[in-house]
Amino acid sequence: MSQSLARALQILASLGEGQRSLDQLATELGVHKTTVLRLLRTMEADRFVRRDEAHRYRLGSRLFALADAAREQHVVREVAAPHLRELNQKTGQTVHLAAWENGEVIYIDKLDSVRNIRMYSQVGVPAALHCTAVGKILLAAQPKRQREAVLASLDYHAYTPHTITDAEALRDELDTVRARGWAQDKAEHETFMNCVGAPVTDHAGRVVGAVSVSVPDVLLNYEQVLELLPDLLATTQAISADYN
């Protein structure tokens, strides 16, 4: 492990036990104060720690968001698991579960097709926001200000000739996603793959995850993939009901 990373994690663990001064942290880490101060300034800039008026350090607000995301993803994955298995067995196709984390959409579960066809997606890896069904679902659910910031920052890489490659087109697509309650990836990320996705919500209607079904066109064409929507929507509704 990187020495700087190890020290930063030690600082967080120490602050988890209570507030500390710079001198106390330097003593606990066994390093010079300038080394600790450099780490603290970086962590403070990203809100992992905060400094009060007495120049004592405490855990920062960024950790609240991370803790909520970790807890939420764990709960969503656990609740969704039996429903994802049922959907996978019923359709025979690849099923994904994804969640929003710090401006990215992360795959948190995946059940491969029963037909020995493997997709490149991996659990723990980000999904492209502009050309995957789960990416569109979760981006569409973000507050407008955050959504617009993401739209302005994306590089809109063209994975296929069908990929959305500009902010205006993606903005229109996200409006459609919110209006109809599901998203599509029509050979936008991989030329041979079509996908549909739908949101999982909590008791307040807040989107906490997205489920998708992905099918290579050698098995089903796009219109046939759309016929899987009722099963997908029934699955996300069941997960949402259990989540609440």
Side-chain angles (χ1 to χ4, degrees):
M1 183 185 294
S2 160
Q3 189 175 54
S4 294
L5 175 58
R7 287 170 176 165
L9 293 175
Q10 189 175 346
I11 289 172
L12 291 177
S14 181
L15 295 180
E17 298 173 359
Q19 63 182 10
R20 296 286 194 275
S21 67
L22 176 59
D23 287 339
Q24 286 175 312
L25 289 170
T27 299
E28 290 180 11
L29 268 65
V31 297
H32 196 274
K33 288 191 294 184
T34 56
T35 300
V36 180
L37 183 59
R38 184 169 60 250
L39 292 171
L40 286 168
R41 284 174 174 169
T42 300
M43 297 166 74
E44 187 177 10
D46 286 332
R47 297 185 291 107
F48 285 103
V49 303
R50 61 186 177 88
R51 182 181 52 171
D52 63 22
E53 294 179 354
H55 300 287
R56 298 183 68 83
Y57 291 89
R58 306 168 186 266
L59 294 177
S61 60
R62 180 75 175 273
L63 293 172
F64 294 132
L66 289 176
D68 286 344
R71 181 169 56 251
E72 186 174 272
Q73 289 181 18
H74 176 75
V75 171
V76 171
R77 190 175 189 273
E78 181 179 351
V79 171
H83 300 288
L84 298 182
R85 286 195 297 269
E86 183 177 349
L87 180 62
N88 174 249
Q89 292 166 3
K90 186 173 185 179
T91 64
Q93 309 302 337
T94 301
V95 173
H96 291 105
L97 174 67
W100 184 267
E101 181 179 340
N102 296 329
E104 292 185 312
V105 170
I106 307 296
Y107 291 115
I108 59 175
D109 205 353
K110 176 185 178 183
L111 285 75
D112 285 313
S113 168
V114 300
R115 294 175 174 82
N116 293 321
I117 296 175
R118 298 292 179 263
M119 293 183 62
Y120 297 121
S121 55
Q122 295 181 322
V123 172
V125 174
L129 295 176
H130 63 300
C131 58
T132 62
V134 292
K136 293 175 186 178
I137 286 289
L138 291 165
L139 179 54
Q142 300 311 304
K144 183 176 181 180
R145 178 177 297 181
Q146 185 170 2
R147 191 168 65 246
E148 288 297 322
V150 172
L151 288 173
S153 66
L154 286 177
D155 65 3
Y156 296 97
H157 175 72
Y159 291 92
T160 80
H162 305 289
T163 304
I164 293 173
T165 56
D166 66 83
E168 189 59 36
L170 182 55
R171 185 179 293 107
D172 291 343
E173 178 82 351
L174 297 179
D175 289 342
T176 299
V177 168
R178 285 193 299 276
R180 71 186 177 191
W182 59 273
Q184 66 179 14
D185 163 6
K186 192 176 181 181
E188 298 170 45
H189 190 247
E190 298 175 272
T191 56
F192 57 90
M193 192 73 66
N194 293 306
C195 179
V196 287
V200 174
T201 59
D202 64 10
H203 67 281
R206 186 170 62 100
V207 175
V208 295
V211 177
S212 68
V213 179
S214 303
V215 190
D217 55 15
V218 295
L219 295 180
L220 299 176
N221 61 35
Y222 175 71
E223 296 303 324
Q224 291 171 315
V225 173
L226 289 182
E227 294 176 4
L228 301 177
L229 264 175
D231 290 331
L232 171 64
L233 294 173
T235 297
T236 54
Q237 289 166 8
I239 296 171
S240 299
D242 284 355
Y243 184 86
N244 295 328

